[in-house]
Amino acid sequence: MTGRNETHRVARALPAVLAAGVLALATGCGADFAPVELTTTGRPAAPLGQVVDLELSLPALLIQGTTERGVTLDLVLEIEGEGFGRLDARAVPGQARWGTGVAPVEMLSDGRTTVTITPDRWATGRIGPLRIGQTVFEVAVDGEPAGGGWSVRGRSWESQSGVFGSFAGWRRQRFLVTTTDFFAGGEVAEVAWVRGREIRVSGRLERVSPDPFLRRSGRAVFVLNRFSFDNVQRLDPTAAFATAWQRGLGARANPHDALELPDGRVLVTRYEPPYDDVAVLDGRSGANLGAIPLEQEAQNPDGTPRPDRMVAAGGVVFVGLQDIDRTFGRYEEGKLAVIDPLLEAVVGIVPLGGKNPGSMEARTGADGRERIWVALGGIFPGVLPQELSGGVVVVDVVNRAVERLALDDDDLGGNVGALALASERLGYVVVSDAAFENRVVAFDPERGEILRTVRQTRDFVPELEIGGSGILAVPDRAFAAPGLCLYRVPSDPAGEELPLGCAALPLSPFSVEALD
């Protein structure tokens, strides 16, 4: 940390593309671009839920006048909400299989049912009526969750005979991805780890800009269409991630992050002058409610704070300020602005001791203390020579001060980009050296030890994401075969990541968020 004076595979952005992006920011090109208004759903977005795949084994079922034995029935449950309790759900039938036979299953109702989830029970209400040929019946399941709630097993029941069978269920681990051609436009896709054994891709869910940053905040999903597009979309998970609303943020606003507050307001960082602030929007409609100015917190001569990522912790919001001038020729010390969401005002500043804060994560440790992990990028080679003035720092939320340097970019041998934490003893960062060689590096956040290189590539790795089931998603920008690669994170930090496979995407992955 010196120099403080002055997607199916991994990811790639050629150095020329990176340099062009920096020049575009410096010159303000495209600021008069007016994005095409998207068709919206016309209703507020529903919150994120969960998806569970069920496989019911029925001892026997009368089909077309014949009693077929050993019938397997596939169902998908789209559950509204998370956590414990009695949740509403909708069942979508798949196929029935027996011996050499197979037939589609038809739902004769709207599929509405309920799911009761407790620490030791997982049960549905009656599902149906279902029909196979001329056979009409209902089903239900009752079992016990396992694997932290990511799988469930128990007994199944069908109304035709009243005989009990068995069932297995798997909650999907879903990742939403924005993809881009870096010129004309982008798209939203979903990559899911299904039934604990296969990758499934749902592509072209919604249109976005060529510069689309994706953000999940709580149970809300946003796309920040950044430089020269200057708008934010809120996506609706129950409408296949169609746009619920789209809101322009002002020419040259260049939004970088979105965070939903418990009361439904949404904060959006506006990176470029003349804004230099955090916009406040209505989460249901996208209506503009005001702004929280940040110019006074900048120390560079142009007074441009460059607000980037945000995290909520300790009842306040921490906003990363990169503090870079208009030409990207002068970088001041990075800092966190502390915003009181009730006052909508800055109530503190946390100097970070390095430059260019980017990815941030808030976590509560085993000691019960809340901390924020901040990736400091330093200066990437381009307009200026490479400078290693960053790493990963840990901020104490209560004291609002840097607690320690968890990882030094001098030891890593390159600039730190993306950051993702699996546990107190295992985290991952992307490291880029002066030759634009990129490595996904595993490290011990508690001891500050570099553990191993998970992946190495000439392709730029824009983000890392870890889902709740312990799957690491790594975008791959390989020109010939872009995609998203999934790895099983080891339970023992000294172990190795298990490659699960790579999902092919039609365009280069730009941003990824875990939905579960």
Side-chain angles (χ1 to χ4, degrees):
M1 209 165 155
T2 58
R4 295 180 192 164
N5 294 340
E6 77 62 285
T7 295
H8 225 32
R9 293 168 177 81
V10 169
R12 175 188 240 171
L14 298 176
V17 173
L18 292 174
V22 173
L23 288 173
L25 287 171
T27 59
C29 89
D32 60 347
F33 176 83
V36 174
E37 284 291 327
L38 295 173
T39 300
T40 61
T41 63
R43 64 178 185 272
L48 270 170
Q50 53 186 297
V51 178
V52 176
D53 292 279
L54 298 178
E55 187 176 85
L56 282 63
S57 296
L58 309 178
L61 194 66
L62 183 65
I63 301 176
Q64 303 290 60
T66 302
T67 299
E68 303 290 354
R69 303 194 178 277
V71 177
T72 298
L73 179 67
D74 294 329
L75 291 171
V76 176
L77 275 184
E78 299 172 348
I79 304 174
E80 299 173 9
E82 296 182 327
F84 298 136
R86 190 169 185 262
L87 307 176
D88 291 328
R90 185 174 75 94
V92 180
Q95 287 185 325
R97 304 182 301 277
W98 63 92
T100 59
V102 61
V105 181
E106 183 183 359
M107 176 68 72
L108 300 181
S109 69
D110 60 6
R112 304 300 298 183
T113 186
T114 60
V115 180
T116 300
I117 303 176
T118 71
D120 55 8
R121 187 177 181 222
W122 200 100
T124 70
R126 294 169 76 109
I127 298 172
L130 302 170
R131 182 166 63 191
I132 303 174
Q134 300 303 313
T135 301
V136 178
F137 61 101
E138 293 180 310
V139 296
V141 301
D142 194 330
E144 297 181 357
W150 289 92
S151 63
V152 59
R153 291 183 183 277
R155 62 180 186 173
S156 63
W157 169 87
E158 54 84 14
S159 62
Q160 187 189 80
S161 66
V163 175
F164 289 101
S166 63
F167 87 99
W170 303 264
R171 180 175 173 179
R172 291 187 186 182
Q173 174 67 81
R174 299 170 296 161
F175 296 91
L176 207 62
V177 188
T178 53
T179 64
T180 178
D181 61 9
F182 298 104
F183 175 70
E187 300 172 347
V188 176
E190 181 189 277
V191 176
W193 181 242
V194 180
R195 296 172 178 258
R197 58 178 181 261
E198 66 175 287
I199 295 175
R200 194 171 297 173
V201 180
S202 301
R204 300 191 170 180
L205 299 176
E206 181 57 288
R207 291 186 300 156
V208 293
S209 76
D211 191 11
F213 184 72
L214 187 66
R215 175 58 71 223
R216 175 196 171 174
S217 179
R219 294 171 65 196
V221 182
F222 303 94
V223 175
L224 289 308
N225 295 299
R226 301 196 301 184
F227 187 73
S228 84
F229 302 95
D230 307 324
N231 72 87
V232 58
Q233 296 166 243
R234 180 163 185 176
L235 307 183
D236 188 343
T238 62
F241 297 99
T243 300
W245 51 256
Q246 177 188 25
R247 177 64 56 183
L249 294 163
R252 301 189 184 186
N254 195 5
H256 269 216
D257 200 3
L259 186 149
E260 185 182 45
L261 298 172
D263 63 9
R265 285 174 297 156
V266 175
L267 305 183
V268 179
T269 51
R270 294 196 285 191
Y271 191 78
E272 298 287 340
Y275 301 98
D276 306 311
D277 62 11
V278 175
V280 184
L281 307 181
D282 182 294
R284 289 178 59 85
S285 66
N288 192 342
L289 301 178
I292 305 168
L294 295 169
E295 307 100 307
Q296 67 274 17
E297 314 306 337
Q299 294 179 317
N300 70 78
D302 292 334
T304 47
R306 303 288 184 192
D308 187 46
R309 305 290 184 91
M310 297 180 284
V311 294
V316 295
V317 175
F318 292 82
V319 183
L321 305 183
Q322 295 176 349
D323 205 343
I324 308 170
D325 70 359
R326 290 174 182 262
T327 67
F328 288 81
R330 180 162 175 174
Y331 289 60
E332 301 295 341
E333 179 183 13
K335 51 191 69 69
L336 300 182
V338 184
I339 290 178
D340 184 318
L342 296 178
L343 299 175
E344 293 189 0
V346 177
V347 295
I349 290 291
V350 182
L352 294 174
K355 294 179 180 178
N356 200 8
S359 297
M360 300 195 294
E361 287 198 21
R363 297 182 70 90
T364 301
D367 59 3
R369 295 185 69 86
E370 210 171 0
R371 296 175 175 85
I372 299 172
W373 301 76
V374 185
L376 296 169
I379 301 178
F380 288 79
V383 174
L384 298 176
Q386 183 184 40
E387 179 181 291
L388 300 185
S389 49
V392 178
V393 296
V394 183
V395 174
D396 184 303
V397 169
V398 173
N399 295 320
R400 297 180 186 175
V402 171
E403 182 179 276
R404 60 189 171 90
L405 175 65
L407 204 58
D408 196 321
D409 54 7
D410 289 315
D411 297 331
L412 290 165
N415 301 100
V416 175
L419 164 72
L421 300 179
S423 68
E424 288 189 88
R425 296 297 308 279
L426 182 60
Y428 300 88
V429 290
V430 175
V431 181
S432 179
D433 65 20
F436 297 100
E437 191 75 23
N438 295 274
R439 290 177 291 129
V440 177
V441 176
F443 74 104
D444 184 328
E446 187 176 282
R447 298 178 180 176
E449 297 177 359
I450 299 171
L451 300 175
R452 58 190 168 273
T453 295
V454 177
R455 187 138 190 177
Q456 186 163 340
T457 176
R458 288 287 298 174
D459 301 326
F460 178 59
V461 183
E463 287 197 299
L464 298 173
E465 189 73 8
I466 298 177
S469 68
I471 294 179
L472 171 68
V474 182
D476 182 352
R477 286 188 179 176
F479 179 78
L484 187 73
C485 290
L486 305 183
Y487 298 81
R488 173 67 65 187
V489 171
S491 55
D492 182 352
E496 292 188 355
E497 290 66 28
L498 174 66
L500 300 177
C502 298
L505 297 171
L507 299 173
S508 183
F510 191 90
S511 185
V512 57
E513 283 280 89
L515 300 181
D516 304 285

